[in-house]
Amino acid sequence: MDGVFAVNKKSGATSRAVLDKVNHILSAASVSKDALAELQKERNKTLGKQRMKNWKTKKLKMGHGGTLDPLASGVLVIGVGSGTKKLGDFTNGSVKTYECVGLLGGSTTTGDSEGELLMKTEVEHVTRELLDKTKERMIGTLDQTPPIFSALKMDGKRLYEYAREGVALPREIKSREVKIIDLDIKDDTLSRNHDYRFLKSEVDENGKTLAEQLVNNPTLNDHKIPFSREWKAANEDDNELPLPMKIISEPKAYEDDSYRAPLLHFDATVSSGTYIRSLLSDMGRCVGSSCYMVKLVRSKQAEWDLKKNVFELEDFTNYGEAIWAPVLKKVLESKDGSVNIREEMEKSIKEHPEAVKSEEEIAAEEAKEEERERQRQEQPAKRQKKNNHKSK
């Protein structure tokens, strides 16, 4: 239990929840006994035997490299043991590839479908030619402004906390240098033949929208659209784009349940630190419209490829360790991501059919997992109640 591997995080789950689930399964396995014993020794030395005598190490040392938002899915790199020390290489210096799908004609507070609509914009004038010209301007090195709904900190406080509280930022969000290595716009771009419903404007019980709470803070519509340094150096006199944003004054058609906005669908290979939500929004703004994300898949990160060497979460939940442990061992020992996990899992399943769990076993374990999660969520409230009782 020492090294790096990757798991396919499904949309809807947090990166932390996936990590905790994998950690629970691996820590309970017999193959982790030696690793847990070694971790216990290390902690005894660090904290002292007196403090550790009544506390037993039950979880492996694990972490993930590069958080995926709940909406996103795909490659989540996980380090175990000394592999946690290598995670910085994946968060700071690795190349990543994403598949992104957005809806043109709308801008949201978060830049994706998890937020609330800020405005509706024209789409009829948007052509593939305009989008291709935008793509040319984006490839290369550019200064990207992170969205306010991000986990970046300013004066010790995360940006999204300022946004949710309606508190003005102490200063402007500093742009960061990122690199768009490749941008491949897909053939179904501008298609309306899909199942993504366009968001509707919402208000809370006080009649206010989140957009109104952001009045003191920047949204993805407020910064200057960045073009790559390479493109600007070669085309300094070209001012064709960006087009002015065309806001709709009568957006009734967008409110109809049957309305389908045109897609913007692309694959992007980028450097670490690139916000795909920001890239998508900037592309929509560049053609005089707007765009928010409805799907994001991280298909590659460094040597980890979703189609080859990435575990599915079901590899751990639906099979016993007799099946997944030998495959994980090969991956951790390879150190270069060369193991074809799907092929190795198929071989291991054939060799150990007795370790394939029944539907009843899987359901029972899922119920236990839900109960553990419920208890975990209740712990902070119980501690607070206990502290309040003590203070009296």
Side-chain angles (χ1 to χ4, degrees):
M1 288 300 166
D2 196 73
V4 177
F5 62 104
V7 171
N8 179 14
K9 186 193 88 67
K10 297 295 172 39
S11 179
T14 65
S15 297
R16 184 73 216 181
V18 173
L19 177 68
D20 288 345
K21 191 163 189 174
V22 174
N23 194 334
H24 177 78
I25 294 171
L26 267 59
S27 297
S30 60
V31 291
S32 298
K33 287 182 179 179
D34 290 344
L36 287 171
E38 188 62 32
L39 188 58
Q40 182 83 50
K41 289 181 182 178
E42 291 178 8
R43 288 177 174 170
N44 284 346
K45 292 177 183 178
T46 303
L47 300 176
K49 292 182 179 180
Q50 187 62 32
R51 291 177 61 186
M52 295 293 295
K53 65 180 182 180
N54 295 321
W55 189 80
K56 185 177 180 181
T57 300
K58 296 180 181 180
K59 294 177 68 177
L60 294 165
K61 181 181 179 182
M62 292 179 68
H64 61 76
T67 302
L68 283 170
D69 291 337
L71 174 68
S73 63
V75 178
L76 183 69
V77 177
I78 294 177
V80 57
S82 65
T84 56
K85 298 177 181 179
K86 301 176 182 178
L87 293 177
D89 297 337
F90 295 98
T91 55
N92 300 321
S94 63
V95 173
K96 305 172 185 178
T97 298
Y98 294 90
E99 178 194 5
C100 178
V101 179
L103 296 184
L104 286 159
S107 170
T108 73
T109 51
T110 58
D112 58 29
S113 56
E114 301 288 295
E116 295 180 23
L117 274 177
L118 287 168
M119 64 176 68
K120 302 180 183 76
T121 54
E122 294 281 1
V123 295
E124 300 303 331
H125 68 283
V126 180
T127 64
R128 179 59 188 261
E129 181 183 8
L130 279 174
L131 290 170
D132 285 339
K133 289 179 178 179
T134 298
K135 164 188 168 179
E136 294 171 2
R137 288 159 170 76
M138 297 292 179
I139 293 177
T141 305
L142 49 82
D143 296 311
Q144 187 182 66
T145 301
I148 190 169
F149 276 88
S150 66
L152 293 176
K153 288 186 176 181
M154 185 179 290
D155 294 350
K157 190 172 183 176
R158 298 195 185 278
L159 294 184
Y160 64 73
E161 293 175 336
Y162 287 102
R164 288 172 180 165
E165 295 170 12
V167 178
L169 296 177
R171 55 189 173 277
E172 289 184 0
I173 301 174
K174 187 178 180 181
S175 63
R176 55 165 66 179
E177 180 181 295
V178 299
K179 189 168 186 178
I180 311 302
I181 300 167
D182 190 32
L183 195 57
D184 179 21
I185 299 177
K186 299 301 182 181
D187 290 340
D188 63 347
T189 285
L190 299 182
S191 169
R192 296 174 184 261
N193 185 23
H194 57 79
D195 295 325
Y196 298 110
R197 288 192 175 184
F198 198 80
L199 286 176
K200 296 182 180 181
S201 300
E202 297 181 6
V203 296
D204 62 16
E205 62 274 13
N206 299 315
K208 290 186 176 181
T209 66
L210 183 57
E212 290 175 298
Q213 296 176 30
L214 285 172
V215 67
N216 295 319
N217 284 315
T219 69
L220 286 170
N221 297 322
D222 297 325
H223 63 263
K224 184 178 179 181
I225 299 174
F227 290 159
S228 76
R229 298 173 189 173
E230 294 85 347
W231 188 89
K232 287 191 290 186
N235 303 272
E236 56 183 21
D237 297 327
D238 188 337
N239 297 313
E240 180 183 358
L241 296 175
L243 298 178
M245 187 179 286
K246 301 179 180 180
I247 300 173
I248 289 181
S249 56
E250 294 292 335
K252 290 183 180 179
Y254 289 40
E255 296 291 327
D256 193 297
D257 287 340
S258 64
Y259 175 74
R260 294 294 181 267
L263 295 178
L264 174 51
H265 183 191
F266 60 78
D267 286 345
T269 301
V270 301
S271 65
S272 287
T274 304
Y275 282 92
I276 304 300
R277 283 178 291 160
S278 294
L279 175 63
L280 178 76
S281 175
D282 288 341
M283 291 179 70
R285 290 172 61 207
C286 189
V287 296
S289 187
S290 56
C291 199
Y292 68 87
M293 188 170 69
V294 293
K295 176 183 176 181
L296 183 67
V297 181
R298 184 192 286 162
S299 55
K300 292 181 182 179
Q301 182 172 0
E303 66 266 31
W304 305 103
D305 187 332
L306 204 56
K307 295 180 180 179
K308 179 185 175 185
N309 54 6
V310 175
F311 283 99
E312 297 293 331
L313 190 57
E314 290 77 12
D315 292 336
F316 299 105
T317 60
N318 294 4
Y319 304 101
E321 69 173 285
I323 291 175
W324 59 255
V327 182
L328 180 60
K329 183 174 184 290
K330 288 182 179 180
V331 173
L332 295 177
E333 289 178 347
S334 71
K335 301 184 186 301
D336 60 1
S338 60
V339 177
N340 189 315
I341 288 177
R342 301 275 47 92
E343 290 182 359
E344 293 298 329
M345 282 295 297
E346 288 180 12
K347 291 178 186 177
S348 197
I349 290 169
K350 289 179 180 179
E351 292 173 1
H352 300 280
E354 76 286 351
V356 177
K357 296 179 183 179
S358 66
E359 292 184 3
E360 291 77 13
E361 288 177 305
I362 295 171
E365 290 180 1
E366 287 179 350
K368 288 182 181 178
E369 181 68 25
E370 290 175 0
E371 178 61 20
R372 279 195 298 271
E373 179 61 21
R374 185 188 66 79
Q375 292 178 0
R376 187 186 68 80
Q377 292 180 355
E378 290 178 352
Q379 284 176 356
K382 289 181 178 179
R383 282 197 295 266
Q384 184 63 43
K385 186 176 181 180
K386 186 176 181 181
N387 291 336
N388 292 341
H389 180 73
K390 285 182 178 180
S391 64
K392 294 177 181 178

